[in-house]
Amino acid sequence: TTDNAALSRKGRSMRFPKEMKPEACASLDETRQCITEPYLEGDKLISTDGNCMVVITVRSDPGDVNGYVPRAVLDAARKDAKRLKLGDLRVEAGSASLRVGDPQMTFPRPALGAFPLCHEERAGLPARNDPGTVTVGIDARLIARLAKAAGDPRFILTIKIPQDAGPATCVRDAIRVVCPGTPKFLGVLMPMGV
């Protein structure tokens, strides 16, 4: 079949850096089955839980087919990349199955329903230098340290937008961090350079 022909081309596959873990943003709620696994759409691998979303641009093969790419496939690809000392995960994405590794392991393509159309172009996200936007750089490791210090992972960030903010404005002032469940906590976060 065409699917098997596309998969048989050695060395041709969807690829992205092995350090990236889009499955970390997938939902764990089995009642929301259509967002429990990452989804390949063209050259984008998208993952969401309905509250956060990641869109990774992948190097795709013309034979790759849109559809779900389960965590088990990404885990197997990551192990294969580590074993072969590769910098990228590699997954051959056919219409009925996904293949990983050498020797190849085959995984069925799950039928989880229609993935929501929610990647960046459809979500109406502003580009970095769009008019009316400012850019803020935040180091996630510092957010994790503040969460540990507060004993609460939920934050409200207050960011001072410069009066003369233009399309290329970057926030450089300290960011006020409070936790709604911990009223006595006050954190301060310095933005990273962008």
Side-chain angles (χ1 to χ4, degrees), residues 57-121:
T57 300
V58 299
R59 186 176 128 201
S60 60
D61 178 77
D64 286 336
V65 177
N66 291 349
Y68 288 96
V69 182
R71 298 164 205 259
V73 172
L74 297 175
D75 288 344
R78 212 168 268 115
K79 287 176 186 172
D80 192 59
K82 183 178 180 180
R83 183 179 61 81
L84 296 173
K85 296 182 170 69
L86 301 173
D88 292 333
L89 275 109
R90 299 169 186 209
V91 177
E92 295 177 357
S95 60
S97 63
L98 298 147
R99 292 188 185 175
V100 173
D102 184 20
Q104 284 197 333
M105 295 172 280
T106 303
F107 297 83
R109 205 86 191 251
L112 301 175
F115 190 80
L117 303 175
C118 63
H119 60 78
E120 59 186 322
E121 293 85 7

Side-chain angles (χ1 to χ4, degrees), residues 3-185:
D3 191 34
N4 290 335
L7 291 174
S8 67
R9 291 185 297 238
K10 192 152 179 75
R12 305 286 304 269
S13 55
M14 171 191 72
R15 298 178 183 192
F16 64 93
K18 66 182 177 188
E19 296 79 19
M20 294 184 174
K21 296 185 177 179
E23 64 272 28
C25 287
S27 178
L28 299 175
D29 181 354
E30 290 301 321
T31 65
R32 303 182 76 192
Q33 189 175 3
C34 66
I35 59 174
T36 56
E37 302 288 0
Y39 189 87
L40 177 66
E41 185 177 312
D43 67 344
K44 308 281 190 224
L45 188 60
I46 309 159
S47 188
T48 184
D49 66 359
N51 295 306
C52 67
M53 176 179 62
V54 63
V55 180
I56 297 174
T57 300
V58 299
R59 186 176 128 201
S60 60
D61 178 77
D64 286 336
V65 177
N66 291 349
Y68 288 96
V69 182
R71 298 164 205 259
V73 172
L74 297 175
D75 288 344
R78 212 168 268 115
K79 287 176 186 172
D80 192 59
K82 183 178 180 180
R83 183 179 61 81
L84 296 173
K85 296 182 170 69
L86 301 173
D88 292 333
L89 275 109
R90 299 169 186 209
V91 177
E92 295 177 357
S95 60
S97 63
L98 298 147
R99 292 188 185 175
V100 173
D102 184 20
Q104 284 197 333
M105 295 172 280
T106 303
F107 297 83
R109 205 86 191 251
L112 301 175
F115 190 80
L117 303 175
C118 63
H119 60 78
E120 59 186 322
E121 293 85 7
R122 295 187 181 114
L125 296 177
R128 181 172 174 179
N129 292 324
D130 278 356
T133 65
V134 294
T135 300
V136 181
I138 297 176
D139 185 331
R141 294 170 297 187
L142 298 178
I143 290 283
R145 287 170 57 193
L146 284 172
K148 186 175 182 179
D152 188 339
R154 299 165 300 144
F155 289 108
I156 297 172
L157 304 179
T158 303
I159 301 169
K160 182 179 180 182
I161 308 297
Q163 296 261 342
D164 59 345
T169 301
C170 291
V171 171
R172 302 206 185 282
D173 292 333
I175 299 167
R176 180 185 183 93
V177 181
V178 296
C179 297
T182 313
K184 295 184 179 194
F185 176 84

